[in-house]
Amino acid sequence: MAQLSCEKLSLGYEGHEIVGDLTFSVNAGDYLCIVGENGSGKSTLMKTILGLRAPMGGEIRVGDGLRRNEIGYLPQQTAVQRDFPASVREIVLSGCQGRAGLRPFYSRDEKKLAADNMEKLGLTALSGRCYRDLSGGQQQRVLLARALCATRKLLLLDEPVSGLDPKVTAELYLLIERLNADDGITVIMISHDVSAALRYASHILHIGQRVFFGTRDEYLKSAKGGAAT
């Protein structure tokens, strides 16, 4: 059974449809890259999957033991968010809010989970630092650790390497690949970098005037994939 299924999904806002009749599914361990032109509906799709925006039509289902509150999300940052005055540890721990529910404190297990994820992403030495004093690459690793505190199953990443230099971009891509390959976490990532999508993804969803969904090899053989390369 698929972890996530979208059936005949219609997306848009203010009564204007951006994309319609969108059907695809994601299984445990997949690495799906969502590509397409600006304004084609990629971020809208991600927000709809998260329940932050209602679909105009169609259905989104979760399965294979996944619950809606077990999806980790790394959004695009605004300038205000980059200047957030909290410690690295506080931000990573905030990813456990879904687990804590109405409790006004974090449990010992949740604190350990945050510490483990900081160690996994090389952030332990930065745990007491203020988030706004970090580099762009360090901030993205903090947000990735925060997203991991919300899930052991599915990560949604919206342009996670946007604005980063090539060296830091490559390092972050390798971290995400390791989480997928070694930890078995399903990844759904929006990317403008088609070459990186073809290097790391197992599946491609191309949104535009015509929609493609399939494996990386199928994409390469398609008209869209051939044009991209």
Side-chain angles (χ1 to χ4, degrees), residues 105-116:
F105 58 88
Y106 294 111
S107 70
R108 181 180 300 175
D109 287 344
E110 289 157 357
K111 291 176 182 177
K112 183 179 185 306
L113 177 62
D116 289 346

Side-chain angles (χ1 to χ4, degrees), residues 57-200:
E59 184 180 11
I60 299 175
R61 297 188 300 271
V62 295
D64 197 19
L66 179 69
R67 295 183 295 181
R68 289 275 186 172
N69 65 348
E70 294 178 327
I71 298 176
Y73 178 45
L74 195 163
Q76 292 189 47
Q77 282 199 93
T78 65
V80 171
Q81 289 167 332
R82 291 190 186 96
D83 199 39
F84 195 68
S87 73
V88 167
R89 182 175 181 273
E90 287 170 333
I91 289 178
V92 174
L93 254 177
S94 70
C96 294
Q97 285 178 348
R99 301 173 185 275
L102 297 177
R103 276 189 283 111
F105 58 88
Y106 294 111
S107 70
R108 181 180 300 175
D109 287 344
E110 289 157 357
K111 291 176 182 177
K112 183 179 185 306
L113 177 62
D116 289 346
N117 284 326
M118 283 190 289
E119 182 177 358
K120 181 180 292 185
L121 298 188
L123 297 168
T124 302
L126 302 176
S127 63
R129 290 273 302 277
C130 185
Y131 177 77
R132 65 184 176 191
D133 294 335
L134 303 181
S135 68
Q138 289 170 333
Q139 287 188 345
Q140 287 300 85
R141 280 193 284 138
V142 171
L143 295 181
L144 185 55
R146 180 185 186 275
L148 286 173
C149 283
T151 188
R152 290 186 175 93
K153 296 182 179 180
L154 175 61
L155 280 173
L156 301 185
L157 312 175
D158 192 351
E159 294 284 356
V161 300
S162 178
L164 302 182
D165 66 48
K167 180 177 182 294
V168 176
T169 292
E171 291 171 351
L172 195 60
Y173 274 138
L174 287 175
L175 275 175
I176 295 166
E177 182 185 37
R178 191 179 72 202
L179 292 171
N180 174 250
D182 297 346
D183 295 1
I185 296 174
T186 307
V187 173
I188 300 178
M189 180 173 71
I190 293 174
S191 178
H192 280 109
D193 187 348
V194 177
S195 63
L198 294 174
R199 187 178 310 124
Y200 297 109

Side-chain angles (χ1 to χ4, degrees), residues 16-39:
H16 172 67
E17 183 181 272
I18 302 174
V19 60
D21 200 27
L22 185 60
T23 297
F24 68 95
S25 60
V26 180
N27 295 315
D30 283 353
Y31 190 146
L32 173 68
C33 270
I34 304 173
V35 299
E37 297 76 18
N38 288 335

